[in-house]
Amino acid sequence: MGCARGFKRIANACDLVAVPENAYLDASGTDWQCQRGYLKQREDCEAIRVPEHAYLIEAQYGRGWDCDRGYRPDRSNDRNQEAECIKVDLPENAVLTDSDYGLGWECGRGYRETNGSCTIIAIPANAYSTGNNRGKGWECVRGYEEADSLCVKMAIPANAYLGRQGTNWLCERGYQKTADQCLAIQLPANAYLNDNGDDWLCGRGHQKQEQSCAFIILPENAHLNSPGSSWDCDKPYRRSGNQCIR
């Protein structure tokens, strides 16, 4: 049988939960929590000292408070009960962040942090800002590619088109991509283009041999396989070299 609310089982007995001053029984009724404005310290609840430019938060551990927007905890004094909230020194072209860590700010779109300030990211012609302050901070627009920190128009060969992302080119159906051009695919007899249109396959009953499609000669007691590109032996025969044997 369980213990009544306000008691907790220890060994085979129900002991009274000792609730200290400025605390209350939790939902389970077998432990206690500190009231708002107090933090648990061993078996007591100690009042939270809220510094200037800070506010109380719901917490049972830690500081029990956060700094107002535009302020951040003094990390050099964070473990001290006398920790304070210091004003964030916001440089030009920066925006506040909600993190207690770091500088308390980040550079706005199109700027990056340099020695405590925000410097503009030089974006070349035919490029756009990615909003990422790390790395280049820009990408070339569709149909252009990066070369020596510039965006130059992509050279698209005949019988080619821009890919969906606009960062590469693809050959039209019936053409095969080489380093810088699209070559027409020469279809041998009894061949057809694959689904992608960038190579060819032999028709059913034919087998690829170099640049041609050779007719498949079926041995006795054999049949074409499902794709039609080779053969299998009829049951109960088994394959041995180029024939079907029992």
Side-chain angles (χ1 to χ4, degrees), residues 72 88-95 97 101-122 131-137:
R72 61 186 179 90
V88 174
D89 186 11
L90 191 67
E92 190 176 1
N93 301 309
V95 293
T97 63
Y101 299 90
L103 299 170
W105 56 267
E106 63 183 14
C107 293
R109 186 180 180 90
Y111 292 83
R112 65 160 51 94
E113 191 271 326
T114 306
N115 298 325
S117 62
C118 293
T119 57
I120 193 167
I121 297 173
N132 188 345
N133 297 338
R134 301 179 184 275
K136 300 192 307 286

Side-chain angles (χ1 to χ4, degrees), residues 2-237:
C3 297
R5 181 175 175 80
F7 292 81
K8 62 181 176 181
R9 182 170 294 279
I10 298 178
N12 294 319
C14 291
D15 284 6
L16 179 69
V17 177
V19 180
E21 189 176 359
N22 301 307
Y24 60 92
L25 279 173
D26 64 11
S28 70
T30 60
D31 204 354
W32 54 270
Q33 290 185 341
C34 293
Q35 296 175 1
R36 179 177 173 81
Y38 293 82
L39 282 179
K40 195 170 188 177
Q41 298 291 341
R42 295 183 181 177
E43 299 303 318
D44 294 308
C45 290
E46 292 187 5
I48 298 170
R49 174 192 170 276
V50 182
E52 190 178 4
H53 307 297
Y55 60 93
L56 281 172
I57 59 172
E58 295 294 336
Q60 291 296 312
Y61 303 95
R63 292 191 307 257
W65 53 267
D66 275 341
C67 293
D68 295 338
R69 185 168 177 79
Y71 292 81
R72 61 186 179 90
D74 182 1
R75 308 307 302 184
S76 64
N77 204 25
D78 198 33
R79 295 182 179 276
N80 194 306
Q81 289 296 325
E82 302 301 314
E84 303 291 342
C85 290
I86 57 177
K87 187 174 180 61
V88 174
D89 186 11
L90 191 67
E92 190 176 1
N93 301 309
V95 293
L96 291 169
T97 63
D98 293 326
S99 174
D100 284 348
Y101 299 90
L103 299 170
W105 56 267
E106 63 183 14
C107 293
R109 186 180 180 90
Y111 292 83
R112 65 160 51 94
E113 191 271 326
T114 306
N115 298 325
S117 62
C118 293
T119 57
I120 193 167
I121 297 173
I123 300 177
N126 302 307
Y128 62 92
S129 172
T130 61
N132 188 345
N133 297 338
R134 301 179 184 275
K136 300 192 307 286
W138 55 268
E139 294 291 345
C140 294
V141 299
R142 180 178 174 83
Y144 287 77
E145 58 187 352
E146 184 183 350
D148 298 326
S149 298
L150 299 174
C151 289
V152 297
K153 193 172 182 64
M154 292 175 60
I156 301 177
N159 304 304
Y161 61 95
L162 270 178
R164 180 174 296 181
Q165 300 298 324
T167 57
N168 66 327
W169 55 266
L170 304 171
C171 292
E172 294 174 354
R173 184 173 177 81
Y175 290 83
Q176 205 164 47
K177 188 173 184 178
T178 63
D180 57 359
Q181 59 183 324
C182 292
L183 298 179
I185 296 171
Q186 303 300 320
L187 285 179
N190 301 304
Y192 63 95
L193 286 173
N194 65 9
D195 290 342
N196 293 329
D198 59 358
D199 203 353
W200 57 268
L201 301 171
C202 291
R204 183 174 178 80
H206 294 78
Q207 201 168 46
K208 194 169 187 177
Q209 290 185 358
E210 297 182 352
Q211 297 302 312
S212 64
C213 290
F215 182 74
I216 297 173
I217 300 174
L218 294 176
E220 190 176 359
N221 301 308
H223 61 271
L224 284 174
N225 63 9
S226 180
S229 58
S230 186
W231 54 268
D232 293 327
C233 291
D234 300 334
K235 293 181 179 180
Y237 295 87

